[in-house]
Amino acid sequence: MKQNQPLRAKAFIKGGDEYPQICGEIWFFQNGCSVLVTAKITGLPKENTSGFFAMHIHQGKSCGGKDFADSGTHFNPKNKPHPDHAGDLPPLLSCRGTAYLQVKTDRFNVRDIIGRTVIIHSNADDFVTQPSGNSGMKIACGIIRRA
């Protein structure tokens, strides 16, 4: 990494057994004390008629286990209630199975999340229900790696 480049990380997203068509990338760029998150995901299931899919950074460091069980729970180092976990991100909005999201956040820095996982859930996050927003099953996962 060149000295003047910001710290960055990337997660390659893959769908689970029920949704193998899901794939994409999520980039994380450190920009001073905030992080720019850019996601492009394809193959999202069309049976979710709202088109909204929850996306969260999780504590775990693996996408293994049945239904990505090894990804753990939401990344929440300050032990806050949902939706104030550091790993709570805005939802993806699918248009014909493709979603693009770009958001700036100060809830974490790139160093905090390298090696953790990003999960896409089958439903929208209701931003109320504890501990994870009633966002449904984990349908896709990626490990965040330094880029």
Side-chain angles (χ1 to χ4, degrees):
M1 182 169 80
K2 293 181 184 174
Q3 191 167 1
N4 60 352
Q5 284 186 329
L7 179 61
R8 59 188 184 184
K10 182 179 188 178
F12 289 103
I13 303 299
K14 289 186 167 190
D17 292 340
E18 290 189 46
Y19 299 99
Q21 75 281 5
I22 299 173
C23 64
E25 297 179 349
I26 303 173
W27 282 88
F28 302 89
F29 298 94
Q30 190 70 48
N31 184 9
C33 45
S34 63
V35 175
L36 179 65
V37 181
T38 302
K40 183 172 182 195
I41 309 296
T42 61
L44 292 165
K46 294 179 177 116
E47 63 262 21
N48 174 336
T49 56
S50 78
F52 286 98
F53 295 85
M55 182 172 69
H56 304 119
I57 297 171
H58 281 236
Q59 303 266 22
K61 298 187 178 211
S62 168
C63 290
K66 181 170 173 44
D67 299 323
F68 306 118
D70 294 347
S71 66
T73 59
H74 290 191
F75 178 58
N76 188 16
K78 294 183 179 176
N79 201 30
K80 291 186 171 190
H82 181 74
D84 295 322
H85 301 155
D88 290 337
L89 294 169
L92 295 169
L93 176 57
S94 173
C95 178
R96 296 186 183 130
T98 298
Y100 181 83
L101 171 80
Q102 193 164 54
V103 66
K104 188 175 177 181
T105 182
D106 63 358
R107 291 184 174 199
F108 56 84
N109 66 55
V110 172
R111 288 193 201 302
D112 293 338
I113 61 169
I114 290 174
R116 301 199 183 279
T117 52
V118 178
I119 292 290
I120 297 172
H121 294 270
S122 59
N123 297 319
D125 188 324
D126 68 13
F127 301 108
V128 176
T129 307
Q130 300 300 324
S132 61
N134 197 28
S135 51
M137 64 186 266
K138 298 173 182 178
I139 61 172
C141 182
I143 300 171
I144 302 167
R145 304 206 187 275
R146 192 174 185 144

